[in-house]
């Protein structure tokens, strides 16, 4: 959620997309694949840690409860050390973040939680669509909250030592949550890196921002009722400076010959100034007067451009990645019934549009080379399918999509 966690957990610009459908590897690890194994060095570390934890206010009773069933999880270390830094274009990112399925599920979630979300908006000033969009990116509306034991995961990562101080702080925070009575150690589950609940709070963020919206005396972000988690997310944004009633941003149209040197988050100016330079909304109309805005052109001047406002920077407090901010913003717009982006993305380096890539995936799958999704995002599954097809067809095997390959499949 916060910048420190996003620095630690690399990947597809967000842990939020760990639950995505299609052709991306998951950053989550299910409990079925994460098993504790005996490790004498880990046991020694736990004993020494418990002494430190006592000095930081953790009771012996809490430590006994928390570590009764905790153990060393080698699969967590494997996940941590084998993270791959995926460089996805904004087009690929939005194909995942604002897929038809995610929009459909999000609108259903909005209807289901309407009363709660309206009450949250009244208290914290954050619109239901924004909170729901974060929920959708972080856990697919609660479908994938993570089921790895958090005490074991954080202990394993702290013991490993590569980023031991960070994870030890998270472990202390997790123990404080248990000590407060918000959750039992058994029910405290999350991702392999300790992000928890419907909107994936790390323990320190939980302590700082989580709220008991239901009034039952516990801040429960783990259970099937998402109320506390959604309210906690809104509280996080409110305390980070969210301005009620203000947009995150909007798609804009740039004039011919626009000076791209003016783009970037650090170059904000009044919307009237951008209008004076010929920038309009995506339909060609005069920009509304919404205060200072920065222009972002994530895929260059041929792709979609965005004017982003103060609340966009607040979204980046939740996850410091521009693609994530645009993903949340655009998904929230789609959940509110607004249209897709007007400006098409340019073809990729192979000259393929997203529709070409979708067709390539469909045709490969139809021939028995399953790409595990047809969203137009080329990842490990599609590359594997291409290699299998190339090998069967007697072609050079490189796993690379191309116009020639698509033509051959037609």
């Amino acid at each position: 959620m916060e910048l420190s966690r996003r620095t630690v957990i690399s990947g597809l610009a967000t842990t939020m997309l760990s639950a995505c459908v299609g052709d991306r590897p998951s950053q989550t690890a299910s409990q079925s694949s994460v098993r504790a194994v005996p490790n004498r060095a880990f046991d020694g570390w736990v004993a020494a840690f418990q002494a430190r934890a006592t000095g930081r206010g953790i009771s012996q009773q809490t430590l006994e409860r928390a570590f009764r069933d905790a153990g060393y999880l080698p699969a967590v270390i494997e996940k941590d050390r084998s993270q791959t830094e995926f460089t996805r274009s904004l087009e690929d990112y939005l194909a995942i973040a604002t897929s038809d399925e995610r929009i459909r599920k999000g609108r259903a979630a909005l209807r289901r939680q309407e009363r709660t979300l309206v009450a949250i908006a009244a208290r914290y000033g954050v619109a239901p669509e924004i909170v729901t969009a974060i929920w959708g990116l972080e856990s697919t509306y609660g479908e994938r909250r993570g089921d790895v034991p958090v005490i074991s995961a954080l202990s394993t990562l702290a013991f490993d030592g590569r980023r031991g101080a960070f994870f030890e702080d998270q472990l202390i925070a997790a123990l404080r949550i248990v000590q407060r009575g918000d959750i039992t150690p058994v029910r405290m589950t999350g991702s392999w890196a300790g992000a928890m609940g419907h909107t994936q709070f790390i323990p320190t963020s939980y302590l700082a921002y989580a709220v008991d919206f239901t009034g039952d005396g516990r801040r429960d972000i783990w259970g099937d009722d998402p109320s506390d988690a959604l309210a906690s997310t809104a509280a996080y944004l409110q305390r980070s400076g969210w301005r009620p009633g203000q947009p995150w941003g909007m798609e804009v149209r740039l004039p011919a010959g626009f000076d791209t040197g003016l783009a970037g988050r650090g170059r904000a100016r009044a919307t009237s100034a951008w209008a004076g330079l010929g920038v309009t909304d995506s339909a060609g109309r005069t920009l509304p007067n919404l205060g200072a805005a920065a222009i972002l052109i994530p895929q260059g001047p041929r792709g979609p451009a965005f004017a982003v406002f103060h609340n966009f920077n607040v979204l980046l407090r939740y996850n410091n990645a521009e693609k994530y901010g645009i993903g949340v913003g655009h998904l929230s717009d789609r959940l509110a019934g607004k249209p897709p982006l007007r400006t098409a993305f340019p073809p990729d380096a192979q000259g393929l549009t997203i529709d070409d890539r979708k067709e390539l995936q469909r045709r490969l799958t139809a021939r028995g080379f399953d790409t595990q999704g047809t969203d137009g995002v080329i990842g490990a599954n599609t590359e594997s399918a291409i290699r299998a097809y190339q090998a069967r067809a007697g072609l050079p095997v490189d796993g690379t999509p191309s116009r020639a390959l698509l033509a051959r499949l037609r």
Side-chain angles (χ1 to χ4, degrees), residues 83-293:
Q83 292 182 83
T84 302
E85 198 59 48
F86 286 89
T87 302
R88 294 294 189 195
S89 66
L90 178 65
E91 181 180 29
D92 281 356
Y93 192 90
L94 292 182
I96 302 165
T98 62
S99 66
D100 290 344
E101 180 183 20
R102 199 176 298 272
I103 292 168
R104 174 180 57 78
K105 288 183 176 181
R107 288 174 179 168
L110 267 172
R111 291 191 296 271
R112 230 175 19 251
Q113 300 295 331
E114 180 179 11
R115 180 176 298 181
T116 297
L117 289 163
V118 168
I120 288 170
R123 184 176 301 182
Y124 299 106
V126 183
E129 293 82 10
I130 289 288
V131 175
T132 305
I134 291 174
W135 187 23
L137 293 195
E138 295 292 348
S139 70
T140 314
Y141 313 105
E143 290 180 7
R144 300 193 181 184
R145 287 165 259 170
D147 61 0
V148 178
V150 167
I151 299 297
S152 292
L154 292 175
S155 299
T156 298
L157 290 164
F159 160 71
D160 177 56
R162 190 159 73 94
R163 289 163 296 188
F166 173 84
F167 284 112
E168 183 162 324
D169 284 344
Q170 296 306 316
L171 179 56
I172 290 289
L175 292 168
R176 287 185 175 136
I177 295 167
V178 170
Q179 189 159 282
R180 279 179 50 99
D182 283 307
I183 193 73
T184 65
V186 172
R187 285 192 61 229
M188 182 183 269
T189 56
S191 75
W192 62 265
M196 308 177 298
H198 288 264
T199 51
Q200 295 291 281
F201 272 53
I202 57 172
T204 51
S205 291
Y206 177 98
L207 289 178
Y209 301 106
V211 298
D212 172 20
F213 193 72
T214 62
D216 66 356
R218 296 182 300 111
R219 299 176 292 175
D220 185 2
I221 65 172
W222 299 269
D224 290 338
D225 180 355
S227 299
D228 284 356
L230 300 179
S232 297
T233 297
Y236 187 110
L237 295 178
Q238 180 199 54
R239 290 180 59 185
S240 298
W242 188 266
R243 294 177 182 171
Q246 295 295 309
W248 68 275
M250 59 190 299
E251 186 186 4
V252 296
R253 182 184 297 177
L254 304 180
F258 178 78
D259 180 1
T260 58
L262 299 176
R265 283 169 54 206
R267 297 177 175 83
R269 58 180 67 191
T271 48
S272 58
W274 290 120
L277 292 174
V279 179
T280 67
D281 74 5
S282 61
R285 298 170 299 209
T286 301
L287 286 177
N289 184 12
L290 296 170

Side-chain angles (χ1 to χ4, degrees), residues 45-98:
W45 180 90
V46 168
F49 165 77
Q50 289 186 353
R52 296 193 297 274
T54 300
R56 296 178 66 176
I58 306 300
S59 71
Q60 190 60 40
Q61 181 184 24
T62 298
L63 291 168
E64 289 173 1
R65 290 176 61 214
F67 284 95
R68 183 176 300 135
D69 299 312
Y72 177 72
L73 304 178
V76 165
I77 299 301
E78 181 181 350
K79 284 278 184 182
D80 183 50
R81 291 180 178 172
S82 64
Q83 292 182 83
T84 302
E85 198 59 48
F86 286 89
T87 302
R88 294 294 189 195
S89 66
L90 178 65
E91 181 180 29
D92 281 356
Y93 192 90
L94 292 182
I96 302 165
T98 62

